């Protein structure tokens, strides 16, 4: 007896509890404790109350999403329309405001403000006073308006205060007759103190950190017209010394604005300013409509003021959208923990034993649902349909099972197997049979209600923030709402799909695991017959990672019984995705995604012009400067290793315009840094203005080098700018019109002093051209006489092929005669210098124009030498550059030809089949997926490549033909390959319907 007990113990297979991570265990413990606490403090009423709370949250989100915009900024129409009602209330005849800025002992900024408003009240206007709105929050600082004193016509006034989160609204009226309407002129004087107006920022001109005081004297709201403005700001001497540059004042209304750089003046005698104080001010005596803006800007050195900590409102505005997102992220962790632990399957016995009998009352399909084995679900169903005796049409069912065995575990069967598993009636039947349960309780309600409500709130915030540009930039609302929506969907999926096993289901699972152990020990899948009812259960209990191997073993079993090794013929059903079909679909999606990404990210491969950014006026401070003269002097040197070096010095007389810009005037220059796929080694060595070193930054812009000065001081008038740079590798391998015998390339020195598209004043768009424009190059004696071609670059040729290869027309040195200077405004001369010859092109304006159409091309010099003259040129890099230049054209043409070829295949298949109807399969996927993707990608890339292409470029015709071929191919694909009609629609016999336990007849491709 004791031996029997020991034998039974030896047959037991331990079934230990899952070992969860400490995080999941802790979070699940919290959830279970919370659930228990909530149930102990309330039942249905509490659940309804919590549901009502989340309903209110969702309602708030709905109001934000569909209701009015909170604090909506005024539109341009609102501002311009307010001019017609400017006299409906009162008019500010004068607005005089004086700021006295001081630094406290703690280093904080304080400003005493005195506003004198001359208000005129027209007859018939029922106004008893004026409304003045002051900000209380600015750039994360609490302004804390204090020491408020108000007088009306010299008498104390009645002040009604109303404060919001960031504004203080003052209603001012005479103290003696607060309810009587006012008429005529009245003087309102406000005295108050503001704190911490300055904030830390980055100076646009120098890129350095500064303390910035940029203030609108009208505050957040000024709905009045006015006819006079006088603004003054008084600083003590130590703060004036801390200014980076002189202050600026500006007045703006909608799209109209004017400003000026302010100069210091002595403060008024009655201002009460400390000795040595300096005052800056600006005035306006023109009529200005309502909602104008008057700003003064002062830039102080970093650290001038001690900055306060950010306010709570600023923190909420900056990090507010993170709170719902963070809440949802924590909710996701809790939901995953609940799914893994709190909602885990119930425990069966601590062990199970091998089983040789199917579980009582549990079908094979239900067993597959209990074990969650979708990959073998169809095969188990088919085997169950053929097991037992007396089955009719057994051979047909065996063949259907053989086809299912052939499909089992394959990648292409994963989708159909999963869909069949999820759509089975047994999926929901587990709940009716008591094998699984749906968790209930407060926690699950939270996981369903919270994501829905918070996602709605996030969408509402996005809609609100879309009207608040500053906050929208800080909050990144679009990214937050998309991420929140994704997290919410995951949490909902986790909560709604939770179906843990009950105790009964856990015991059934252990019984099925025992069948798996028994099948492994007895090699049931290799030795059994298809009549054995345990075989289907053994298939369900087999290792899902080896589902394909299980299918092969069952297939061998079936073929052995039938004596036919072709029993599985036709196993590729219409909804089976074979490897070629999957590959076609993947390639189609990747191809379309790659074409869209390439067109969005890569620059246009065939641009109309270089479009130098230095000439665009987009760089801060470069828009309104004017070049008076330009001189560039280049010196070519050759070292002992035959390596060339070009040193260039530019002298530019620039008239800095300060009246029309609020930015610090800067100088920008741009030169080629790469030619024919080879680096020129360009580096800026120095920049001086009037002989003094000037700060600058150099950066790469495509194939060019961009230099921009970083002047902190506002310069006015004409100044001489000297820029020095050098090219360490100015000579490159190039394809030339004239090459030495036995060579396909030349060694080319192409130096562009001014880039293509330079305007009449070298990038500063004024009608008056700089004069003179002088370009010179010095060539050493060692290179004299060996050049194949040399001259000045003047204009592009008509051939885009030669233009691509730097084949501009050049004026040979000495071609322009000196005696022709009076007619053309140009002289070309050569001077013998020590160790070389200096060639000079001196261009002077004649009738407001230059000779040779210079401005449509680079201006400089080009010299071609036989290949091998210099060390450094790289012919291989030139060859690769040609390949890269031709690649976009080759790609579009190849895709167009492929799309047309797929369309031709569609036509041939339709002709051979005698019908445009095609069954599901590789051919239809090839036509529908790859044909459509290729055609769309071709047209997309054609638009990308040709959108900025010059009209006369030879690449356009092949690109256009490729796009046309793609459209023709797509039309053929879509019209000649249609979906096959159902059998009932074609008049064919429809197979009889079989019950759920019988496998369907597979249709062969």
């Amino acid at each position: 007896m004791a031996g029997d007990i020991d034998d039974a113990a030896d047959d037991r297979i331990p079934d230990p509890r899952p070992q969860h991570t400490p995080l999941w265990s802790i979070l699940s413990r919290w959830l279970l404790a919370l659930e228990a606490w909530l149930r102990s403090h309330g039942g249905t009423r509490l659940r309804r109350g919590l549901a009502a709370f989340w309903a209110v949250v969702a309602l708030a989100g709905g109001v934000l999403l569909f209701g009015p915009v909170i604090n909506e900024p005024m539109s341009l129409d609102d501002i311009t329309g307010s001019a017609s009602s400017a006299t409906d209330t009162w008019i500010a005849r004068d607005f005089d405001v004086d700021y006295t800025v001081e630094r406290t002992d703690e280093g904080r900024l304080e400003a005493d403000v005195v506003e004198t408003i001359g208000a005129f009240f027209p007859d018939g206007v029922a106004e008893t006073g004026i409304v003045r709105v002051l900000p209380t929050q600015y750039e994360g600082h609490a302004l804390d308006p204090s020491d408020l004193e108000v007088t009306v016509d010299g008498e104390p006034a009645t002040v009604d205060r109303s404060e919001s989160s960031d504004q203080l609204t003052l209603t001012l009226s005479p103290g003696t007759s607060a309810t009587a309407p006012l008429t005529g002129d009245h003087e309102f004087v406000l005295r108050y103190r503001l704190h911490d107006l300055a904030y830390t920022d980055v100076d646009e001109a120098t890129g350095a950190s500064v303390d910035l005081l940029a203030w609108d004297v009208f505050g957040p709201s000024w709905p009045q017209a006015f006819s006079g403005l006088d603004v003054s700001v008084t600083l003590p001497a130590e703060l004036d010394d801390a200014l980076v540059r002189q202050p600026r004042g500006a007045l703006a209304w909608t799209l109209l604005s004017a400003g000026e750089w302010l100069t210091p003046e002595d403060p008024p005698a009655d201002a009460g300013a400390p000795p040595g104080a300096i005052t800056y001010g600006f005035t306006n005596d023109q009529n200005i409509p309502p909602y104008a803006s008057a700003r003064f800007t002062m830039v102080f050195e970093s650290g001038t003021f001690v900055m306060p900590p950010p306010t709570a409102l600023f923190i909420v505005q900056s990090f507010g959208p993170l709170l719902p997102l963070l809440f949802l992220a924590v909710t996701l962790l809790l939901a995953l923990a609940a799914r893994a632990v709190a909602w885990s399957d119930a425990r069966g016995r601590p062990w199970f034993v091998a089983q040789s009998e199917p579980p009582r009352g549990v079908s094979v399909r239900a067993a597959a649902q209990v074990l969650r084995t979708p990959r073998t679900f169809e095969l188990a169903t088919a085997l169950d349909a053929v097991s037992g005796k007396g089955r009719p049409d057994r051979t047909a069912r065996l063949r259907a099972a053989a086809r299912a065995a052939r499909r089992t575990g394959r990648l292409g069967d994963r989708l159909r197997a999963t869909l069949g598993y999820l759509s089975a009636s047994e999926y929901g039947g587990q709940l009716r049979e008591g094998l699984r349960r749906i968790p209930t309780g407060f926690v699950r309600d939270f996981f369903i209600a919270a994501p829905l409500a918070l996602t709605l709130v996030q969408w509402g915030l996005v809609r609100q923030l879309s009207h608040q540009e500053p906050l929208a930039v800080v909050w990144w609302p679009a990214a937050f709402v998309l991420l929140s929506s994704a997290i919410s969907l995951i949490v909902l999926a986790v909560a709604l799909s939770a179906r843990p096993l009950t105790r009964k289901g856990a015991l059934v699972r252990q019984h099925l695991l025992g069948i798996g152990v028994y099948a492994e020990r007895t090699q049931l899948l290799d030795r059994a017959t298809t009549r054995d009812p345990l075989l289907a259960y053994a298939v369900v209990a087999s290792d899902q990672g080896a589902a394909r191997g299980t299918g092969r073993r069952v297939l061998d079993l079936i073929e052995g019984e039938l004596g036919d090794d072709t029993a599985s013929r036709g196993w590729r059903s219409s909804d089976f995705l074979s490897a070629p079909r999957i590959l076609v679909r993947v390639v189609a999606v990747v191809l379309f995604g790659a074409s869209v990404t390439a067109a969005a990210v890569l620059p246009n491969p065939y641009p109309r012009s270089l479009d130098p950014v230095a000439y665009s006026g987009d760089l801060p401070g470069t828009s309104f400067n004017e070049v008076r003269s330009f001189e560039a002097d280049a010196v070519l040197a050759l070292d002992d290793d035959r390596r060339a070096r070009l040193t260039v010095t530019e002298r530019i007389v620039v008239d800095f315009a300060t009246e029309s810009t609020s930015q610090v005037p800067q100088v920008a220059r741009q030169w080629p840094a790469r030619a024919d796929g080879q680096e020129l080694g360009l580096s800026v060595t120095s920049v001086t203005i009037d002989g003094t070193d000037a700060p600058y930054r150099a950066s790469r812009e495509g194939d060019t080098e961009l230099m921009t000065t970083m002047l902190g001081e506002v310069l006015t008038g004409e100044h001489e700018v000297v820029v020095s740079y050098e090219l360490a590798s100015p000579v490159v391998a190039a394809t030339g019109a004239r090459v030495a015998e036995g060579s396909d390339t030349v060694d080319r020195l192409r130096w562009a002093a001014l880039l293509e598209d330079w305007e009449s004043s070298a990038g500063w768009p004024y009608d008056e051209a700089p004069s003179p424009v002088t370009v010179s190059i010095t060539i050493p004696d060692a290179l004299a006489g060996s050049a194949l071609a040399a001259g000045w670059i003047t204009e592009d040729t008509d051939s885009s092929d030669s233009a691509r290869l730097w084949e501009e027309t050049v004026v040979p040195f000495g071609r322009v005669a000196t005696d022709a200077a009076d007619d053309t405004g140009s002289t070309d001369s050569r001077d013998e210098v020590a160790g070389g010859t200096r060639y000079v092109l001196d261009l002077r304006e004649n009738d407001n124009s230059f000779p040779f159409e210079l401005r449509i091309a680079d201006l400089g010099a080009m010299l071609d030498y036989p290949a091998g003259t210099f060390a450094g040129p790289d012919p291989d890099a030139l060859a690769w550059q040609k390949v890269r230049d031709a690649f976009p054209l080759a790609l579009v043409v190849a895709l167009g030809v492929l799309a047309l070829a797929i369309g031709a295949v569609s036509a041939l298949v339709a002709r051979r089949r005698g019908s445009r109807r095609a069954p599901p399969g590789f051919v239809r996927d090839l036509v529908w997926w790859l044909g459509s993707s290729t055609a769309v990608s071709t047209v997309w890339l054609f638009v990308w490549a040709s959108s900025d292409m010059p009209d006369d470029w030879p690449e356009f015709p092949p690109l256009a033909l490729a796009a046309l071929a793609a459209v023709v191919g797509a039309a053929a694909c879509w019209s000649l390959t249609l979906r096959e009609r159902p059998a009932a629609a074609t008049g064919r016999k429809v197979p009889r319907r079989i019950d759920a336990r019988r496998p369907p007849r597979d249709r062969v491709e």
Side-chain angles (χ1 to χ4, degrees):
M1 188 70 174
D4 294 340
I5 295 175
D6 293 339
D7 293 340
D10 292 340
D11 288 340
R12 294 177 180 178
I13 303 171
D15 188 14
R17 293 178 177 271
Q19 297 297 320
H20 301 292
T21 63
L23 177 61
W24 282 168
S25 300
I26 293 174
L27 294 179
S28 180
R29 193 179 303 120
W30 291 349
L31 289 175
L32 292 175
L34 177 62
E35 180 75 28
W37 185 86
L38 289 173
R39 291 192 178 190
S40 66
H41 286 72
T44 304
R45 180 177 299 177
L46 180 58
R47 292 185 67 180
R48 290 177 179 174
L50 293 176
F53 167 77
W54 289 112
V56 171
V57 174
L59 179 61
V63 172
L64 293 175
L65 184 59
F66 302 106
V69 177
I70 301 175
N71 195 23
E72 182 177 6
M74 297 187 66
S75 65
L76 181 60
D77 292 339
D78 294 334
I79 296 176
T80 55
S82 64
S84 60
S85 58
T87 60
D88 290 350
T89 55
W90 59 277
I91 301 173
R93 292 193 185 273
D94 299 294
F95 185 92
D96 300 338
V97 56
D98 300 319
Y99 292 84
T100 302
V101 178
E102 298 176 346
R103 182 168 51 185
T104 65
D105 295 338
E106 294 81 14
R108 305 276 286 271
L109 183 149
E110 285 188 353
D112 290 324
V113 187
V114 179
E115 295 181 357
T116 303
I117 304 174
F120 172 72
F121 296 86
D123 294 335
V125 174
E127 295 290 337
T128 60
I130 67 173
V131 176
R132 184 75 175 101
V133 180
L134 302 179
T136 59
Q137 299 277 337
Y138 183 63
E139 295 293 336
H141 298 174
L143 302 185
D144 189 21
S146 60
D147 301 336
L148 179 65
E149 297 180 7
V150 182
T151 62
V152 179
D153 298 330
E155 299 294 332
T158 300
V159 180
D160 294 332
R161 304 167 63 105
S162 174
E163 189 168 359
S164 64
S165 60
D166 60 351
Q167 294 181 6
L168 174 62
T169 302
L170 304 174
T171 303
L172 313 177
S173 56
T176 56
S177 55
T179 58
L182 298 178
T183 58
D185 290 298
H186 296 272
E187 183 181 73
F188 292 77
V189 179
L190 290 79
R191 291 180 173 86
Y192 55 91
R193 173 170 293 184
L194 297 177
H195 305 78
D196 301 314
L197 291 180
Y199 58 94
T200 301
D201 201 4
V202 176
D203 190 7
E204 185 181 56
T206 64
S209 178
V210 294
D211 290 353
L212 182 63
L213 173 54
W215 186 250
D216 187 348
V217 302
F218 289 133
S221 176
W222 183 255
Q224 268 72 42
F226 65 94
S227 56
L229 175 68
D230 189 341
V231 179
S232 67
V233 183
T234 302
L235 302 173
E238 63 271 14
L239 289 184
D240 186 72
D241 294 339
L243 286 172
V244 174
R245 66 182 67 93
Q246 61 259 47
R248 183 171 180 83
L251 177 63
W253 182 77
T254 63
L255 302 179
L256 305 177
S257 64
E260 61 179 346
W261 297 99
L262 307 181
T263 56
E265 56 190 38
D266 294 332
D270 57 349
I278 298 173
T279 297
Y280 297 89
F282 61 98
T283 62
N284 173 76
D285 57 2
Q286 297 178 344
N287 293 329
I288 302 297
Y291 299 104
S293 172
R295 301 179 66 87
F296 64 88
T297 303
M298 294 183 168
V299 182
F300 297 91
E301 296 176 354
S302 179
T304 301
F305 301 103
V306 174
M307 299 298 169
T311 63
L313 178 62
F314 178 79
I315 294 176
V316 170
Q317 290 178 337
S318 299
F319 303 101
L322 289 175
L323 297 180
L325 186 60
L326 180 62
F327 189 87
L328 285 174
V330 174
T331 302
L332 176 59
L333 289 178
L334 294 173
L336 294 175
R339 182 67 176 268
V341 183
W343 296 341
S344 60
D345 295 336
R347 293 289 298 156
R349 300 184 181 91
W351 45 265
F352 62 90
V353 297
Q355 300 286 345
S356 59
E357 296 291 337
R360 184 176 303 175
V362 179
S363 66
V364 170
R365 294 165 65 89
Q369 297 288 345
V370 170
L371 290 181
R372 288 180 172 168
T373 56
R375 303 184 69 180
T376 55
F377 179 77
E378 182 189 14
L379 176 58
T381 302
L383 289 174
D384 185 57
V386 299
S387 63
K389 299 181 180 179
R391 292 282 190 184
D393 58 9
R394 174 177 171 76
T395 300
R397 292 178 179 273
L398 277 175
R399 292 185 180 277
R403 291 191 290 271
R406 176 77 74 172
R407 289 190 294 265
T408 298
R410 293 179 179 268
L411 179 63
D413 194 52
R414 182 68 62 87
L415 178 62
R416 71 187 301 276
T418 303
L419 293 177
Y421 168 82
L422 294 176
S423 61
S425 59
E426 287 78 7
Y427 183 78
Q430 299 175 89
L431 301 174
R432 295 189 298 271
E433 298 296 330
L435 300 177
R436 293 188 182 273
R437 65 182 178 87
I438 297 178
T440 58
F442 294 93
V443 172
R444 185 173 184 270
D445 294 345
F446 166 76
F447 288 149
I448 295 175
L452 293 174
L454 292 178
T455 301
L456 193 59
V457 170
Q458 285 284 57
W459 279 101
L461 288 176
V462 154
R463 187 251 179 162
Q464 295 289 331
L465 289 177
S466 64
H467 296 272
Q468 304 286 345
E469 183 178 353
L471 291 180
V473 172
V474 174
W475 278 30
W476 286 10
F480 287 157
V481 75
L482 292 177
L483 187 57
S484 299
S485 300
I487 294 177
S488 297
L489 288 177
I490 296 174
V491 173
L492 284 174
V494 169
L496 295 177
S497 64
R499 298 289 191 273
L501 290 172
T502 61
R503 168 75 175 177
K504 177 181 177 180
L507 293 175
V508 171
R509 170 185 168 275
Q510 290 183 327
H511 191 114
L512 295 173
L513 293 179
I515 293 176
V517 173
Y518 175 80
E520 181 180 355
R521 291 177 177 177
T522 61
Q523 298 183 353
L524 183 67
L525 295 179
D526 301 316
R527 300 177 180 273
T529 66
T530 56
R531 295 185 181 275
D532 188 349
L534 195 63
L535 179 62
Y537 290 92
V539 167
V540 169
S542 63
D543 183 9
Q544 288 299 292
R548 189 166 182 177
T550 300
R552 291 197 189 99
R553 296 167 69 183
V554 172
L555 178 63
D556 294 339
L557 201 65
I558 296 174
E559 289 179 344
E561 287 190 13
L562 292 177
D564 183 5
D565 58 359
T566 63
S568 63
R569 179 178 296 172
W571 62 274
R572 294 178 184 270
S573 61
S574 60
D575 50 358
F576 178 85
L577 296 179
S578 61
R581 294 181 66 183
I582 295 176
L583 180 62
V584 165
R585 297 186 181 202
V586 171
V587 170
V589 173
V590 170
L591 178 61
F592 176 72
S595 64
V596 173
T597 302
V601 174
L602 299 179
N604 190 286
Y606 305 115
R608 185 178 302 275
S609 62
L610 181 63
D611 193 19
V613 66
Y615 302 159
S616 64
D618 295 334
L619 298 175
T622 64
S623 299
F624 298 98
N625 302 332
E626 184 175 357
V627 171
R628 297 301 185 186
S629 64
F630 177 87
E631 177 184 351
D633 185 15
V635 177
L636 178 63
L638 191 65
D639 61 16
D640 296 338
D641 297 331
R642 295 186 299 108
R643 289 188 174 273
R645 179 177 296 274
L646 191 69
T647 304
V648 184
T649 302
E650 295 182 350
R651 291 178 174 83
I652 314 170
V653 176
V654 181
D655 187 358
F656 290 98
T658 58
E659 297 81 5
S660 303
T661 177
S662 60
Q663 299 167 328
V664 180
Q666 307 289 349
V667 177
R669 294 289 294 120
Q670 195 169 1
W671 312 274
R674 183 181 176 89
D676 287 330
Q678 301 157 75
E679 292 293 330
L680 301 180
L682 190 148
S683 60
V684 182
T685 56
S686 69
V687 178
T688 64
I689 298 180
D690 296 334
T692 303
D693 289 339
Y696 65 91
R697 67 165 65 95
S699 60
R700 192 66 178 263
E701 291 286 338
D703 287 344
T704 66
E705 186 79 5
L706 174 66
M707 186 283 300
T708 308
T709 58
M710 303 170 63
L711 302 177
E713 180 184 0
V714 179
L715 298 180
T716 304
E718 293 187 2
H719 297 269
E720 184 184 51
V721 181
V722 178
V723 181
S724 299
Y725 64 93
E726 66 177 15
L727 301 171
S729 302
V731 181
V732 298
T735 302
R738 298 172 57 186
V739 297
E741 184 176 355
S743 176
D744 295 330
T745 63
V746 296
D747 287 354
R748 172 168 294 169
L749 168 64
R750 186 185 188 281
W751 166 57
L754 292 173
L755 290 178
E756 178 184 355
D757 287 343
W758 65 283
E759 298 289 343
S760 60
S761 53
W764 292 264
Y766 281 82
D767 294 334
E768 184 179 354
S771 183
V773 172
T774 304
V775 179
S776 66
I777 184 170
T778 301
I779 302 173
D781 293 337
L783 299 175
S786 61
L788 300 175
W792 303 111
I793 305 171
T794 57
E795 61 181 319
D796 290 332
T797 63
D798 293 334
S799 171
S800 59
D801 280 337
S802 58
R804 187 80 43 72
L805 303 176
W806 303 111
E807 287 299 313
E808 293 88 351
T809 300
V810 297
V811 179
F813 297 144
R815 177 176 175 179
V816 180
T818 303
D819 57 1
D822 294 338
D823 297 330
T824 65
S826 171
T827 61
D828 182 7
S829 64
R830 55 183 294 172
D831 299 323
E832 298 294 337
V833 296
T837 303
R838 181 171 181 261
Y839 297 87
V840 181
L841 181 64
D842 188 23
L843 303 173
R844 298 180 183 273
E845 183 186 11
N846 185 18
D847 296 332
N848 199 30
S849 64
F850 286 125
F852 309 124
E853 295 296 333
L854 291 171
R855 291 183 300 279
I856 66 172
D858 295 348
L859 178 61
M862 187 169 70
L863 301 93
D864 285 351
Y865 289 88
T869 302
F870 300 91
D874 189 356
D876 293 336
L878 173 64
W880 275 111
Q881 183 63 35
K882 291 181 179 179
V883 172
R884 288 192 290 268
D885 290 341
F887 179 75
L889 174 62
L891 177 63
V892 175
V893 171
L895 290 177
V897 171
L898 179 59
L900 185 62
I902 296 176
V905 169
S906 178
L908 292 176
V909 171
R911 179 180 177 85
R912 182 177 180 181
R913 189 186 301 113
S915 171
R916 294 184 297 168
R917 305 288 175 177
F922 173 75
V923 174
R924 196 171 77 176
D925 283 0
L926 178 70
V927 172
W928 281 11
W929 286 79
L930 190 57
S932 301
S933 174
T934 305
V936 174
S937 299
T938 304
V939 175
W940 198 289
L941 292 176
F942 161 72
V943 174
W944 163 67
S946 61
S947 59
D948 199 29
M949 178 183 290
D951 299 334
D952 56 348
W953 277 37
E955 283 84 356
F956 183 80
L959 286 173
L961 289 176
L964 180 61
V967 172
V968 172
C973 291
W974 299 333
S975 62
L976 299 179
T977 306
L978 307 179
R979 185 186 299 275
E980 189 179 50
R981 293 176 180 175
T986 59
R988 291 180 295 184
K989 183 178 179 181
V990 180
R992 63 184 179 86
R993 185 176 182 85
I994 58 178
D995 58 55
R997 294 183 56 83
R998 295 180 179 179
R1001 296 181 181 271
D1002 297 307
R1003 184 175 66 229
V1004 183
E1005 288 186 5

